[in-house]
Amino acid sequence: MTSPHSPEDAPVAETDVAIIGMAGRFPGADDLDSFWRLLSEGREGITRFSREELAAAGIPARLLDDPAYVPAHGVIPDVDLFDTGYFELTPAEADITDPQHRLLLTTGHAALEHAGYDPSRFGGLISVYAGAAINTYLQQQVLPRVDQTTTSNHFAVMVGNDKDFLATRLSYKLDLKGPSYAVQTACSTGLVAVHLACQGLINGECDMALAGGVTVKLPQTRGYLYEEGAIVSPDGHVRAFDADAGGTVLGNGVGVLVLKPLRDALADRDTVHAVIKGTATNNDGSGKVSFAAPGAAGQATVIREAHAVSGVDPRTIGYVEAHGTGTRLGDPVEVAALTKAFRAATPDTGFCAIGSVKSNIGHLDAAAGVAGLIKTVLMMKHRTLVPTLNFHAPNPAIDFAAGPFTVSTATAPWTGDGPLRAGVSSFGIGGTNAHAVLEQAPPAPATGDSRPAQVLVLSARTPTALRTAADRLAEHLESGLPDEGAAALADVAYTLAVGRRAHEYRLAVRGADRAGLADALRTAPVPPEPGTGEVSFVFAERVEGAAELAEAWSAAEPAFAEHHTAAL
């Protein structure tokens, strides 16, 4: 949708960072479109298993018979699958590589494609900041069956599984030459990675950055034993801020953002999904009841710092994506800290919605913060608030009526007098807190392309992959999604031409509208053999009106003019 404010109303600050690409997989949502449907329809993505499914997965009967055993977990499918040929790993290498490494690699690649960039054609430095959860695959699948008495086997296991090599593997496989850091702060890892990426961009250490987190804990078909006073829910549902809140549900997921200084993104005509106005991190120190407990003072301080860094008046913030674990202790502490931070700027009450994505997908550990951030960006793009599930009556330890916040309980328009703004929090066990302040993207400039028709080019590593890519692009062109339907065909054509790596199997179609191009993509024959090189125009005979034709093409196509002039 069109932003209600103009670029003149929101000048670009040197510290503004644009989110230009996103990719993710979450429980109940295998891509961002399905994630938005899950959120806007108010659904849970957490899987509840039958006794038969759990027994088949090897869960012992003594656990299944225990009334405290809760058969719920946040699952993402097919974590065992990986395209070894595309990413140039041997099957043996992939087999001993942590699925978290593999999933971050595929998602980082998808995020760059979503941003419209082929790293080999980007002239600047691209950095990686990412973290993962504990590696259960190493414990369960690799160590019991790989003999590490040989140096080569030991090295292969180490490189394939240690967190130290998570970010650098992505840099190596995609040929990214900016700083590459593994980030580890427990539950706040994903949002801390975003903070560090923003700092790298602002400090000039890189020109673009990938940031995110991944969690894959195995086996996925499993539940947990509920214990009174622990972090997990008694019934497999997350009730953030609710009087019956009893804990969270653990889950798997991955999210990666592509970030760029806003001034550069606007100059390069990138698609800007949202703007990060400022971020902050800190640690609670010892000012709390235990190492794993939340710290109200530390949380309030980091939120105030993010407000100050961003230069945003908290009264203009219309939504906060909370850490929101749904625990009896955590929720009241978090709302108290948020209230204290907002109270430094305004005494107003009830003006800011609050929510937690954990009510939809559970707690994704290292990916939790980036999942909340992606949720918030999608709400901004759709100008829609989505419900926090399972909220019926407020936790009696939270006085919402006296504070700035109201729990978002329905899918509803998100309105505001100026640009939409939001805060996103993520707090890690051990006390590392992170908060980010977001603002909706400035309006995109209209495309200046006046071609009567466009050429769409596609390529892939295999004929099957090329057929799939063509069909998916056709489906995209026919879709009526609000955030994609308005994209100009000229922008689609440009991104396909320069923002994708050119692979061996290729096809091209020409058309003047979406329907015609979609039909051409579905009916275009896939070449049985790889392409042999670049396209050249050779005229064996004199062409009538060649000079006039060349002049017209040169006026319309700068690239043709450049090469035609060089050939004269």
Side-chain angles (χ1 to χ4, degrees), residues 70-85:
V70 182
H73 190 227
V75 171
I76 52 175
D78 302 329
V79 296
D80 56 325
L81 303 182
F82 182 71
D83 192 337
T84 56

Side-chain angles (χ1 to χ4, degrees), residues 43-114:
R43 293 186 284 110
E44 285 185 346
I46 297 167
T47 300
R48 304 184 72 83
F49 301 102
S50 68
R51 182 185 178 91
E52 292 72 24
E53 288 173 318
L54 292 167
I59 305 299
R62 62 176 179 81
L63 283 179
L64 299 179
D65 292 336
D66 193 321
Y69 189 79
V70 182
H73 190 227
V75 171
I76 52 175
D78 302 329
V79 296
D80 56 325
L81 303 182
F82 182 71
D83 192 337
T84 56
Y86 188 90
F87 291 103
E88 298 179 343
L89 267 72
T90 67
E93 286 175 320
D95 188 46
I96 62 169
T97 298
D98 181 5
Q100 297 181 119
H101 288 224
R102 293 187 249 135
L103 195 56
L104 185 75
L105 182 56
T106 56
T107 308
H109 175 271
L112 276 171
E113 287 213 329
H114 189 250

